[in-house]
Amino acid sequence: MRPGDYALSSFVTSYDANKKAESVSYLAKPQVRIARDTTVVLDAREAHRLSLDTDRPSTVDSTTLSYARTWDDTWQLTGSLVVPKTVPGVYAEIDGRATKGTFEFRPTWRASGSEDGSSYVYNLSYPTQGPLFSDQVYRPRDSRLAQVTEKWNALGKEADYLDALFIRPGGGGNDMLTVSSFSPIHVPGTRTAYYTTGDDSWYHGAMTSFPFAAFMGDQDRAYRAGEHRSEEWYGGPLRPAAPRDADGKLMLSAERQGDLMGFQNALWVDNSGDHWTYGGSFGDLGNLTLKRNGEQIGGSYDPFGVFQVPDEDSAYELTQRLEKILSADKNWLRSTAVTTTWSFCSHREPDVYSRGLPILAPVYDLPVDGVNTLPAQSGIRVGLSVEGHAGYTPGAITAASLSYSYDGGTTWTEAPTQKRDGKWTAVLDHTGATGKQVMTKATFTDAKGSAVTQTITRAYDVR
């Protein structure tokens, strides 16, 4: 290591006859410079014991606990200590370690009520300024924590997904601490998550499998004591749409600057609209083509790109094709391919630096169950709507349709649609279609003249 560097290490202090750790301690900031592979052994009896007491039964015998800490001197470093269930005590040796700058000790727990994380989970963080001079006992009570009811859907089959959690201290800046890196969560199912409150922001994300699945994330969230909310993950059909920022607001996804058109959206957004991913994993394929007045003028081997276009007003068709490599993500059995064509007009505006393109993203209120299936019956109502992006607010929908196919798009059945109080609804009839895989095709036109057509392969199955 270079002079002035510090080592991030955990320190095992004693062992039983089976060579299993009995206690663990660590330094918040080691004061010695050591080689990368050197192990420092400390006496945990000289450190301060950390313990946790919640309203629910102790989980130390059923799962692992994660502890994270951070400090700030002339730069910030982060680290985590994962403690196996065989360790009954965790200790922190940090007395006198804050020699300059602002020091923060942050014990952070993530403990679940079962091995697969499917019952409940506590997400607890306690930032403390300055060194500790005594043992610390943390006694969070459910009534003073925020409570989130999580509904987890499965993309076609029961499985263990991967659940990740991070903290942004103070709710701002680019610093982010890892609380949990991909703990298992069994889906489908519902669990209750408890969070400590305050200025910190929590960032929650998930993957359907590892390592090739795309990471899907929520927005940053800070919680209030006693707050209750709910969230739903992987409800379908999943679809491309505008990405969201840290506050959950739609971001710019398509614009024109002079003679250039640029496009990049979120490849997969779930039915809640809160969780999205750019994709970009080894399990995603995609491309773009751009037509002007019916003639192709550009293409991209990626599902995003920039195109040079002429000045005059023209009719454009931008087509994005997305596909999942199923062998790379065996848990992703819904929305396996999506083709979307946007139709709009555009011309160069000399006095406008950037103009958002009039792009519509279809939204489906589909009453699927936990594995994204619909019943084999008639009268299934599906809400139809669109959203724009930061550069374009759609006009009222003037036309909407939804068709479905059991044979991969060879034949289609158009569902009857109705408009009531400005809202569009399609009515599906899946009588006698048990076990069928369903492809959907939706079309929308808004009052400003923009339109979109979208097909989704295996949007859902009929049970």
Side-chain angles (χ1 to χ4, degrees):
M1 303 179 69
R2 297 169 301 179
D5 284 352
Y6 294 101
L8 261 178
S9 302
S10 60
F11 309 100
V12 178
T13 62
S14 58
Y15 298 87
D16 63 16
N18 295 320
K19 301 298 182 182
K20 294 181 179 179
E22 293 178 345
S23 60
V24 172
S25 69
Y26 60 83
L27 286 174
K29 179 180 175 183
Q31 290 185 325
V32 294
R33 299 185 180 94
I34 59 176
R36 185 176 300 274
D37 297 328
T38 299
T39 299
V40 178
V41 180
L42 301 179
D43 187 350
R45 292 171 296 181
E46 300 298 323
H48 297 305
R49 183 183 180 90
L50 310 179
S51 61
L52 177 73
D53 178 21
T54 69
D55 285 348
R56 303 226 178 187
S58 172
T59 60
V60 70
D61 292 330
S62 64
T63 187
T64 60
L65 302 181
S66 293
Y67 303 83
R69 76 277 190 205
T70 180
W71 56 91
D72 186 2
D73 192 347
T74 55
W75 58 83
Q76 185 179 69
L77 300 175
T78 61
S80 62
L81 173 63
V82 178
V83 181
K85 59 188 177 183
T86 55
V87 177
V90 175
Y91 299 79
E93 168 60 83
I94 66 170
D95 287 354
R97 304 295 171 176
T99 56
K100 59 182 176 178
T102 301
F103 175 79
E104 180 186 78
F105 175 65
R106 179 185 287 270
T108 301
W109 280 267
R110 188 169 215 229
S112 59
S114 60
E115 291 287 352
D116 62 8
S118 60
S119 176
Y120 61 86
V121 62
Y122 282 94
N123 305 306
L124 310 173
S125 186
Y126 298 97
T128 303
Q129 298 296 322
L132 300 182
F133 297 103
S134 63
D135 292 355
Q136 300 294 304
V137 180
Y138 303 93
R139 295 188 175 92
R141 292 295 172 253
D142 291 359
S143 61
R144 298 301 299 164
L145 301 173
Q147 180 176 321
V148 179
T149 301
E150 300 175 351
K151 180 182 178 183
W152 290 84
N153 299 290
L155 293 178
K157 69 175 184 179
E158 186 176 344
D160 285 336
Y161 286 6
L162 299 167
D163 176 34
L165 190 67
F166 308 87
I167 289 180
R168 200 182 301 278
N174 295 320
D175 296 323
M176 187 173 285
L177 312 181
T178 300
V179 179
S180 175
S181 296
F182 304 122
S183 302
I185 171 71
H186 193 73
V187 299
T190 301
R191 75 174 176 186
T192 302
Y194 297 92
Y195 289 86
T196 45
T197 61
D199 295 331
D200 293 341
S201 291
W202 298 83
Y203 178 69
H204 192 190
M207 295 175 68
T208 50
S209 65
F210 187 83
F212 297 129
F215 181 82
M216 179 168 284
D218 193 15
Q219 69 187 75
D220 289 0
R221 298 187 185 275
Y223 291 104
R224 305 184 307 275
E227 178 180 352
H228 287 71
R229 58 176 296 269
S230 61
E231 61 187 32
E232 182 173 357
W233 291 80
Y234 292 103
L238 274 69
R239 56 190 172 82
R244 276 67 170 164
D245 64 15
D247 297 321
K249 297 179 181 178
L250 297 175
M251 298 169 62
L252 184 70
S253 61
E255 65 174 326
R256 177 167 183 160
Q257 295 182 11
D259 63 349
L260 298 177
M261 282 185 181
F263 176 82
Q264 183 173 18
N265 60 357
L267 301 187
W268 307 105
V269 178
D270 68 14
N271 205 29
S272 71
D274 291 331
H275 312 125
W276 64 276
T277 174
Y278 272 123
S281 71
F282 289 105
D284 289 310
L285 298 174
N287 59 63
L288 286 178
T289 57
L290 180 66
K291 291 183 178 181
R292 171 182 172 266
N293 297 332
E295 180 183 353
Q296 183 169 328
I297 62 169
S300 170
Y301 290 109
D302 297 306
F304 51 85
V306 177
F307 307 97
Q308 189 167 16
V309 295
D311 293 349
E312 59 266 32
D313 191 50
S314 304
Y316 290 93
E317 287 187 356
L318 177 66
T319 298
Q320 180 188 58
R321 299 170 186 84
L322 303 175
E323 185 176 353
K324 279 290 183 180
I325 303 174
L326 300 185
S327 61
D329 187 352
K330 296 181 179 180
N331 291 330
W332 192 296
L333 301 177
R334 301 287 186 268
S335 300
T336 55
V338 181
T339 298
T340 309
T341 297
W342 295 275
S343 302
F344 56 92
C345 292
S346 177
H347 63 276
R348 182 169 189 165
E349 300 173 81
D351 298 330
V352 177
Y353 173 72
S354 174
R355 172 72 68 187
L357 296 177
I359 296 296
L360 307 176
V363 180
Y364 311 90
D365 185 7
L366 200 66
V368 292
D369 66 0
V371 289
N372 284 286
T373 70
L374 289 178
Q377 65 184 44
S378 61
I380 302 171
R381 301 178 66 84
V382 180
L384 301 175
S385 59
V386 297
E387 63 186 17
H389 60 107
Y392 181 70
T393 301
I397 298 175
T398 58
S401 71
L402 181 65
S403 301
Y404 53 94
S405 173
Y406 301 132
D407 56 14
T410 301
T411 59
W412 293 94
T413 299
E414 184 171 351
T417 57
Q418 55 186 236
K419 180 182 179 182
R420 180 177 298 176
D421 299 327
K423 296 182 179 180
W424 288 82
T425 303
V427 182
L428 306 176
D429 183 357
H430 290 313
T431 303
T434 298
K436 297 290 188 180
Q437 299 178 10
V438 181
M439 174 183 281
T440 60
K441 178 170 63 177
T443 64
F444 296 89
T445 303
D446 75 355
K448 300 178 183 180
S450 297
V452 62
T453 298
Q454 184 173 83
T455 61
I456 302 178
T457 300
R458 205 175 181 183
Y460 57 90
D461 284 8
V462 181
R463 63 179 180 270

